[in-house]
Amino acid sequence: MTFESQDRYDVAAQEDRCAPRTKLTIPGQLRASGGRAFQTVVHDLSISGFSASAISRMHEGQVCWLTLPGLESLQAQVVWWDNCQVGCAFSELLSPVVHENILARYAGEGAYR
């Protein structure tokens, strides 16, 4: 049985997580340690991490910062990078209240609100 890269990610994204991830579309900025910030799109989010577009190679263990509209930068660590997608774990869990507010604003149909 052969899986496409996205299919493998969809399965893995729900395994071994402290919290479920929600698919959504959020514009933001991502900056790797020692690098310049670049525009990104967050594709899923949980209180423990996220996946996003990454225009350049990022390395496992690399520290980075995610900035979402209306929030301060959130420190994270790269867990994986595959084909211009990066998965990161937040250094500190996202507050459930902040997480719920983000979901209320951006979840559903990929539309920005």
Side-chain angles (χ1 to χ4, degrees):
M1 179 182 223
T2 304
F3 289 102
E4 296 292 322
S5 178
Q6 187 62 35
D7 292 335
R8 285 189 309 233
Y9 173 73
D10 288 342
V11 171
Q14 297 305 327
E15 294 179 1
D16 299 327
R17 305 284 183 197
C18 71
R21 291 195 176 206
T22 303
K23 288 187 176 192
L24 36 64
T25 304
I26 305 174
Q29 286 191 340
L30 190 59
R31 183 177 68 82
S33 182
R36 291 180 179 248
F38 58 87
Q39 297 298 312
T40 189
V41 175
V42 174
H43 299 290
D44 65 44
L45 180 74
S46 77
I47 61 170
S48 62
F50 64 94
S51 73
S53 302
I55 58 173
S56 59
R57 175 91 171 132
M58 297 182 78
H59 302 280
E60 186 176 328
Q62 189 173 26
V63 174
C64 61
W65 289 266
L66 174 68
T67 305
L68 299 175
L71 295 177
E72 293 183 15
S73 294
L74 302 165
Q75 185 176 334
Q77 186 172 25
V78 174
V79 176
W80 58 265
W81 184 91
D82 183 34
N83 197 27
C84 296
Q85 296 290 314
V86 65
C88 300
F90 290 125
S91 297
E92 305 240 347
L93 293 178
L94 195 58
S95 158
V97 172
V98 171
H99 181 252
E100 287 301 318
N101 285 338
I102 293 169
L103 293 183
R105 184 172 177 194
Y106 292 103
E109 306 304 316
Y112 301 135
R113 295 184 202 163

